[in-house]
Amino acid sequence: MLVPRLLIPTLLFSIAEAVDETVNVGYSIYKGQALPNGVSQWLGIRYAAPPLGELRFAPPQDPPHTEGIQDATQHGKYCLGTGRSPTDTDTSEDCLFLDVQAPTQATVGSKLPVFLYIQGGGFSLNSNPNTNASGLIINSGYGIVVVSLNYRVGPYGFMTDSDKILPNNGLRDQQKVLDWVQKHISRFGGNPNHVTLGGSSAGAASVTYHLTANNGTDRGQFHAAIAESPSFATTLTVTQSQYMYTQFATRVGCVGKDSLTCMRNKTAVELQTSNFNIPLPGASKPPNYMWLPVLDHEFVQDFPYRTFQKGKFIKVPTIYGDDTNGGTKFAPKDTATIQQSNSYVLDQYPELTLNMLGQINELYSNPNNSCPAIGCYWRHASNVYQEARYMCPGMYVSSVVAKHGQNAWVYRWNVEDPEQMASGLGVPHTVELAALWGANYFPDAPASYLDGQINANASSAIQHYWLNFIKYYNPNGRPIDSTSKYTKWEAWGDKAQNRLTFQTGGLTEMIRVDSELKRRCEFWSTNGVALTM
C-alpha cells in the first residue's frame, strides 16, 4: 500500500534537512532515488574494490575513489555461483555491492535503527539478491534503515591454498560491510550504534560466524542478531580443504608451481565452466554445498559447537529459528531405502560413524508407511538433515546465549501454503522470507501469502516481532503492550524451552519443545564437535 508523504511520521526525524538523493560517502558520491512510497534507495554502492586480477581470491580491499556522481538507481550484479551457467548475465565477478534503503524524510541526525541483512545460498551462491525492504520500512512507521549486500561465494570466496590465499574471504567481504556501516550509515539517517545483524540460511550461519569471529571479539559493529535457519555444516581445516584447490586448479588446467597466477589469468567463464561440487573427504557423492568457511584459527577459531561451548562469542540478544520442514528442499525425493537415507546424510557429514548412523536410525522413525516405494524415505532423510543442520544448532546456540545472561528468543515457522503442502514440501526452508519482506515485495512468494489470501496476515505477524527486535532488541516491544493482539514471545531458557510458533493464517502461539526433539537435538550437540560442526 502506498502511503502519502504527508502522512509519514515526522517525529522520527530531526528538524534538519532530509537526506538528499545524492550522498557523499568519501570515496564516491552516489545519487539514489526517492520512491513514491516514502522510501529512498541507493543501489549498487561499491563497498570494496572489484575482486579482479590480482585481487581474485584475495581479501576485500578499499573501494577506489571516483570522480563525478555515480548512479545508484540500479542493483549491482550479484556474485558468480557454483553450478551456475558461465554465461549468466545477472552475475559477475565484479559483485561487491551493497544497497541502502531508508525513509525519504530521514536526516543525518535521525539515528534510526539499522537492519543489516546477509542473504543465504549455502556459501555457493547469492540466493536472495536485490532485497526490497520497502514494505518492512513502511510498516516500521518509517523508523528503520536497511542495508543488504552481495558477497563472494564458491571458490571465489572460500577457496584457500594453505599458503597465498587467505581463507574465508567471503566472510571478510561481509566484515567489510560491517565496517562500511559504521563509517557511513549515518549519512543515510542510520545509527551505527544501533545495528541488528540478520540473515537467513548461509546468511544466518554468517551471523553466527560474526558472533564468534576471532573468539568473540566485540568490535561494536552490531548489537543484536537474528538468524533464520542457521546452517551448521561440516567444517574442514585449511589443510583438509586443500583437495578442493587441487581439484579446481586441475580442472581449469592450472597445474605446476604457478597455479594461482594461472587461475588469476583465466577468464571468469573459464573458471565457471569448472565450478561444480565434488565429494567431501570420506563421502561418495557431492554434498548439497561444498565451498564453506574453513577452520583458519583466526576468523573461524574453532568448530561452531565448541566455540559456543567455550563462551567465545559476542554477548547480544538473539532470535534464532527455522521452518517445520527445513530439509525437504535438499534431500533427494527418490530416496527409497534406509540405506539411501543414511548415505545421503553421510555425504553431508562424512565424519559420522556406523554407530552414530545406527543411533540416528533409532532416533528418527520413517514417517512414510508406503515402503517399499520410490521416495518413501525422502522425509526420513530430510528430517535428519533439517534437525542436524538447522533446527538443533539454533536451539543450542539460544541455550548458550541465555546461559551467558542475554535474552534469546526461538521461533518455528509452521505456516502451511496449500500448494507447498500438496507438493510434499510442507513448510520448507526459509519460506518465511516472503512474509518478512512482504509477499508484494518478494519474488516468487507463495500464493497464499498475497493480500487477501489465507496467509496474508503472516507477514504482519513476523514483521511485528522483527521490527520490535530491530528497534528495541526485544520482539515484544518496549514497553511491552499487554493489550497487543500478538502473543507475548517468551524468552528461551533451560527450563522453559518454548518456541513462538507462527501458524497458518497468521496466528501465533508459544509451544513447548517436546521431549523427543530434545532427545534428538542432544544427540547432535553431543556429537557436533566430533562431526566437525
Side-chain angles (χ1 to χ4, degrees):
M1 181 179 72
L2 297 182
V3 179
R5 290 193 192 182
L6 291 176
L7 297 181
I8 297 173
T10 56
L11 293 178
L12 294 171
F13 311 112
S14 70
I15 300 175
E17 186 177 350
V19 173
D20 192 78
E21 290 180 6
T22 303
V23 177
N24 188 341
V25 292
Y27 57 89
S28 294
I29 300 173
Y30 285 98
K31 184 175 183 179
Q33 180 182 20
L35 304 176
N37 60 8
V39 175
S40 288
Q41 57 187 22
W42 296 263
L43 309 177
I45 294 176
R46 190 181 292 281
Y47 69 83
L52 309 173
E54 290 300 308
L55 294 184
R56 178 184 275 170
F57 311 126
Q61 302 299 306
D62 290 340
H65 287 254
T66 58
E67 299 294 331
I69 296 176
Q70 308 300 306
D71 177 69
T73 61
Q74 301 293 324
H75 294 286
K77 291 193 175 185
Y78 51 99
C79 299
L80 299 174
T82 296
R84 295 306 169 98
S85 170
T87 57
D88 185 349
T89 57
D90 292 326
T91 61
S92 171
E93 196 172 1
D94 182 7
C95 62
L96 298 185
F97 302 101
L98 59 81
D99 297 338
V100 178
Q101 293 166 288
T104 297
Q105 289 195 359
T107 75
V108 293
S110 293
K111 296 185 177 179
L112 298 176
V114 178
F115 183 38
L116 173 51
Y117 174 74
I118 305 174
Q119 62 182 305
F123 297 111
S124 291
L125 55 119
N126 293 165
S127 62
N128 300 113
N130 307 338
T131 298
N132 186 345
S134 288
L136 194 64
I137 293 171
I138 292 169
N139 289 332
S140 74
Y142 297 89
I144 66 170
V145 173
V146 177
V147 180
S148 54
L149 64 135
N150 299 331
Y151 57 96
R152 285 174 293 175
V153 290
Y156 309 96
F158 293 96
M159 183 169 68
T160 178
D161 66 343
S162 302
D163 181 19
K164 297 178 181 178
I165 300 179
L166 198 66
N168 301 319
N169 283 319
L171 293 177
R172 298 176 198 279
D173 291 345
Q174 298 168 8
Q175 183 74 59
K176 193 76 171 173
V177 176
L178 287 168
D179 291 335
W180 188 96
V181 166
Q182 289 301 302
K183 293 176 183 176
H184 304 299
I185 202 59
S186 61
R187 301 171 189 264
F188 301 86
N191 184 355
N193 296 315
H194 192 124
V195 178
T196 298
L197 182 62
S200 62
S201 194
S206 299
V207 170
T208 304
Y209 279 117
H210 289 294
L211 282 169
T212 58
N214 307 110
N215 269 335
T217 301
D218 190 353
R219 299 171 58 194
Q221 296 175 311
F222 60 93
H223 314 92
I226 300 175
E228 300 155 12
S229 299
S231 175
F232 272 39
T234 293
T235 306
L236 301 178
T237 65
V238 169
T239 301
Q240 288 171 329
S241 73
Q242 176 67 35
Y243 84 99
M244 297 180 186
Y245 178 92
T246 301
Q247 289 283 345
F248 189 69
T250 300
R251 290 199 299 272
V252 299
C254 289
V255 299
K257 293 183 178 180
D258 241 354
S259 59
L260 179 56
T261 299
C262 173
M263 283 198 287
R264 283 177 169 158
N265 287 328
K266 294 286 183 181
T267 67
V269 170
E270 288 174 311
L271 295 184
Q272 278 298 94
T273 301
S274 297
N275 184 8
F276 53 82
N277 286 345
I278 61 176
L280 294 168
S284 62
K285 295 181 180 179
N288 293 326
Y289 303 105
M290 181 189 77
W291 298 105
L292 299 164
V294 297
L295 195 64
D296 61 0
H297 301 292
E298 183 198 351
F299 202 111
V300 182
Q301 292 273 349
D302 207 337
F303 303 121
Y305 267 112
R306 187 151 58 197
T307 305
F308 280 97
Q309 287 173 5
K310 294 177 178 178
K312 302 291 187 179
F313 64 95
I314 299 172
K315 313 307 190 291
V316 294
T318 60
I319 290 177
Y320 271 75
D322 66 325
D323 312 274
T324 296
N325 306 113
T328 50
K329 282 186 177 180
F330 305 104
K333 287 188 176 181
D334 61 354
T335 305
T337 66
I338 188 67
Q339 292 91 340
Q340 289 176 345
S341 178
N342 289 164
S343 293
Y344 166 74
V345 176
L346 184 60
D347 286 335
Q348 318 307 316
Y349 298 101
E351 296 298 322
L352 280 165
T353 65
L354 295 175
N355 181 52
M356 289 178 185
L357 287 169
Q359 292 180 64
I360 289 170
N361 293 341
E362 291 177 4
L363 288 167
Y364 290 86
S365 60
N366 185 17
N368 190 320
N369 58 11
S370 69
C371 292
I374 297 297
C376 72
Y377 267 89
W378 170 37
R379 281 300 190 92
H380 180 270
S382 68
N383 288 347
V384 175
Y385 183 78
Q386 76 163 21
E387 291 185 2
R389 196 172 188 110
Y390 305 115
M391 188 173 287
C392 294
M395 292 195 293
Y396 177 80
V397 170
S398 300
S399 294
V400 177
V401 169
K403 283 181 181 178
H404 284 265
Q406 290 290 339
N407 284 325
W409 290 271
V410 179
Y411 76 91
R412 177 168 69 102
W413 191 259
N414 193 43
V415 177
E416 296 181 351
D417 171 70
E419 185 175 339
Q420 290 176 334
M421 296 300 293
S423 72
L425 287 173
V427 184
H429 184 59
T430 69
V431 67
E432 71 268 38
L433 287 179
L436 173 62
W437 299 114
N440 294 329
Y441 302 93
F442 191 82
D444 302 320
S448 68
Y449 286 39
L450 296 171
D451 290 345
Q453 302 302 309
I454 186 175
N455 289 318
N457 289 335
S459 185
S460 59
I462 189 173
Q463 288 186 354
H464 165 80
Y465 294 109
W466 263 236
L467 286 169
N468 272 331
F469 189 78
I470 292 166
K471 290 180 178 180
Y472 310 114
Y473 309 144
N474 187 322
N476 300 297
R478 185 179 297 162
I480 297 172
D481 182 3
S482 60
T483 65
S484 173
K485 67 177 181 178
Y486 294 102
T487 304
K488 180 182 176 182
W489 192 344
E490 302 167 14
W492 180 268
D494 273 343
K495 294 182 179 179
Q497 295 191 342
N498 302 322
R499 293 184 289 183
L500 181 73
T501 304
F502 293 87
Q503 303 283 32
T504 304
L507 301 175
T508 56
E509 59 181 318
M510 294 300 304
I511 297 179
R512 184 176 295 275
V513 174
D514 66 76
S515 59
E516 289 303 306
L517 176 56
K518 285 183 180 180
R519 186 164 162 253
R520 295 193 298 270
C521 286
E522 185 177 349
F523 168 84
W524 295 111
S525 62
T526 299
N527 293 291
V529 173
L531 297 176
T532 69
M533 295 167 67

